[in-house]
Amino acid sequence: MTSESQTGSTTHSPGEAGGPWQNIREAMLACMQCGTCTGSCVNAHAMDYTPRQMWRLVQLDDKVELFRSTTFWLCSTCYYCTLRCPRGLPLTETIGALKRTAVAEGYLDESASIKFYQSFLDSVRRYGRVRETEMMARYFMALKDPIKPMQFSSLGIKLLLKGKLHPQVPRFFGTGKLDALFRKAREVEANP
């Protein structure tokens, strides 16, 4: 059994009380829709919903419409909205929670940006730093699009010729340098 918002979108089940989405909603119920966040946002011009409209979607419990938008993904984490909010709401942290919730609930399983970030983090976990060539190879393999790498080939050649890319043999076996750190981060995120 699911509850429905005023807009008619399916949201959470009653067994999920206190989950990440409910915590986000409760944090945003104090928003008075003044628009200071939108006026402060340097990326508002590129968003499909302004930050004020995004918070209204949260208040209306319209999770599906919110997660279809790109608004919270365009946040550059500059904290202007948080600093200027007359209610002192933790807006930037809440946008981070929206991103984590969208990923955890599968709204972006096939997103190219998610695959890029996963390739980036996998490289950091394995080596303690980014190995650009391997990271991009893993990213392009995850996309499963043979045309996409060709679009970046001229840039790759320029970077290689200038010594900015250093092809290295990938490590296929063994533990990564930061495995323990990533494992602890997952434990902390699982039990907030």
Side-chain angles (χ1 to χ4, degrees):
M1 178 176 184
T2 59
S3 61
E4 292 191 359
S5 71
Q6 295 172 9
T7 59
S9 65
T10 303
T11 57
H12 59 281
S13 64
E16 291 179 63
W21 177 250
Q22 276 309 110
N23 294 338
I24 292 167
R25 283 199 66 231
E26 288 173 16
M28 290 300 107
L29 288 177
C31 176
M32 62 184 177
Q33 294 289 296
C34 67
T36 302
C37 53
T38 298
S40 303
C41 183
V42 296
N43 295 328
H45 69 280
M47 297 173 171
D48 47 1
Y49 289 110
T50 65
R52 183 193 62 77
Q53 292 169 328
M54 175 184 63
W55 299 128
R56 188 64 181 147
L57 287 172
V58 171
Q59 289 176 333
L60 293 172
D61 202 15
D62 197 349
K63 185 190 329 187
V64 174
E65 183 64 26
L66 174 67
F67 287 148
R68 280 188 194 141
S69 79
T70 60
T71 297
F72 58 97
W73 292 110
L74 295 177
C75 174
S76 58
T77 320
C78 68
Y79 281 87
Y80 283 149
C81 58
T82 300
L83 292 171
R84 295 177 177 164
C85 178
R87 293 276 171 108
L89 298 175
L91 302 176
T92 306
E93 288 85 3
T94 306
I95 288 175
L98 283 173
K99 291 176 182 180
R100 288 188 298 276
T101 302
V103 171
E105 294 188 10
Y107 283 93
L108 299 170
D109 282 342
E110 298 303 314
S111 169
S113 62
I114 293 300
K115 290 177 182 179
F116 180 84
Y117 295 132
Q118 287 170 339
S119 300
F120 178 87
L121 287 175
D122 187 49
S123 180
V124 171
R125 181 191 56 76
R126 288 168 169 260
Y127 306 108
R129 62 172 301 277
V130 176
R131 286 190 173 177
E132 295 88 355
T133 308
E134 181 182 344
M135 183 205 77
M136 291 308 294
R138 288 179 181 277
Y139 169 64
F140 289 136
M141 286 190 311
L143 287 179
K144 298 176 183 169
D145 180 2
I147 304 300
K148 197 68 162 174
M150 299 304 169
Q151 295 172 343
F152 293 95
S153 60
S154 64
L155 176 62
I157 291 169
K158 286 178 189 175
L159 291 172
L160 197 58
L161 292 175
K162 289 187 177 196
K164 301 293 183 182
L165 289 180
H166 307 285
Q168 297 170 322
V169 177
R171 185 185 320 161
F172 294 107
F173 304 105
T175 58
K177 287 187 174 186
L178 299 179
D179 278 347
L181 178 70
F182 275 68
R183 191 172 27 261
K184 183 65 176 176
R186 280 192 298 274
E187 289 172 15
V188 169
E189 288 176 352
N191 301 314

